[in-house]
C-alpha cells in the first residue's frame, strides 16, 4: 500500500469532499460565529493530542440554521488535570446520550467519547448551544436537546 492509499483509508474522504464543497459555497472564507445561542449538530468529537501533545477533547459543532448556518463552532478542552476532566465530563453528560460518563484511563476515555458520538448519531440528536464569553474564555452550555 502506498502512502496515498493509507490516507484514503484513514481519512473521511467523503466528509472532506463535503467540506470542500461548503468552502466553495462560502467563497473560501470561514465566518467567525459570534457568541449567542445556536441550534447545532455535533459533526466530530474525539480525544486527540493538542498542538503541544497534551490530551484534549475536541468537539466540532455545525450550526444548523440562521445567518450562521453551516458555520462551525469548536470546543478544545485539555484533559490533563482533575478539574479539566470534570469540565469535559459535565459537558459530555449534558449531551444526554444515555452513555455513562466516567474517566478511568485515556484509552478508555477515547473509546467512551467515540461511543457517545455514535450514540448521538444513531439517536439523531441536535442541540441548542449557548456559546458565550466567560472572563475571556469561551463557555459552552447545552440548553436543550432535540431529536432531528
Amino acid at each position: 500500500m502506498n502512502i496515498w492509499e493509507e490516507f484514503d483509508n484513514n481519512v473521511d474522504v467523503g466528509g472532506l469532499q463535503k467540506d470542500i464543497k461548503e468552502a466553495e459555497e462560502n467563497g473560501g472564507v470561514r465566518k467567525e460565529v459570534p457568541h449567542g445561542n445556536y441550534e447545532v449538530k455535533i459533526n466530530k468529537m474525539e480525544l486527540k493530542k493538542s498542538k503541544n501533545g497534551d490530551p484534549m477533547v475536541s468537539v466540532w459543532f455545525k450550526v444548523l440554521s440562521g445567518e450562521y448556518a453551516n458555520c462551525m463552532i469548536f470546543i478544545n478542552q485539555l484533559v490533563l488535570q482533575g478539574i479539566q476532566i470534570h469540565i469535559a465530563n459535565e459537558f459530555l453528560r449534558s449531551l444526554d446520550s444515555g452513555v455513562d460518563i466516567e474517566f478511568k484511563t485515556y484509552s478508555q476515555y477515547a473509546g467512551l467519547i467515540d461511543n457517545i458520538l455514535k450514540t448521538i448519531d444513531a439517536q439523531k440528536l441536535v442541540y441548542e448551544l449557548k456559546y458565550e464569553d466567560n472572563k475571556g474564555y469561551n463557555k459552552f452550555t447545552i440548553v436543550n436537546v432535540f431529536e432531528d
Side-chain angles (χ1 to χ4, degrees), residues 92-112:
L92 294 172
R93 287 182 185 109
S94 76
L95 298 177
D96 202 24
S97 67
V99 175
D100 187 36
I101 309 300
E102 182 180 12
F103 176 91
K104 294 179 183 176
T105 67
Y106 286 106
S107 296
Q108 168 268 337
Y109 206 56
L112 172 75

Side-chain angles (χ1 to χ4, degrees), residues 10-47:
N10 293 322
V11 174
D12 177 9
V13 178
L16 189 56
Q17 292 169 353
K18 183 179 174 189
D19 291 345
I20 294 167
K21 183 179 179 190
E22 287 177 9
E24 289 170 352
E25 290 170 359
N26 293 329
V29 177
R30 183 175 77 88
K31 281 187 193 178
E32 194 66 34
V33 179
H35 292 128
N37 284 33
Y38 299 95
E39 183 180 346
V40 297
K41 178 182 188 305
I42 295 178
N43 271 15
K44 185 175 183 178
M45 186 167 62
E46 64 183 341
L47 182 65

Side-chain angles (χ1 to χ4, degrees), residues 38-42 62 64 95 120 123-129 142 144-148:
Y38 299 95
E39 183 180 346
V40 297
K41 178 182 188 305
I42 295 178
K62 182 176 183 179
L64 297 177
L95 298 177
I120 288 168
Q123 295 175 359
K124 299 184 186 307
L125 297 180
V126 296
Y127 302 94
E128 179 185 350
L129 175 71
I142 299 298
N144 285 306
V145 180
F146 308 98
E147 289 184 22
D148 189 22

Side-chain angles (χ1 to χ4, degrees), residues 55 57 76-93 101 103 106 109 134:
V57 174
N76 292 304
Q77 173 65 51
L78 290 175
V79 287
L80 279 171
Q81 302 172 1
I83 188 66
Q84 295 170 327
I85 294 170
H86 170 73
I87 291 167
N89 284 349
E90 288 301 303
F91 175 78
L92 294 172
R93 287 182 185 109
I101 309 300
F103 176 91
Y106 286 106
Y109 206 56
N134 182 28

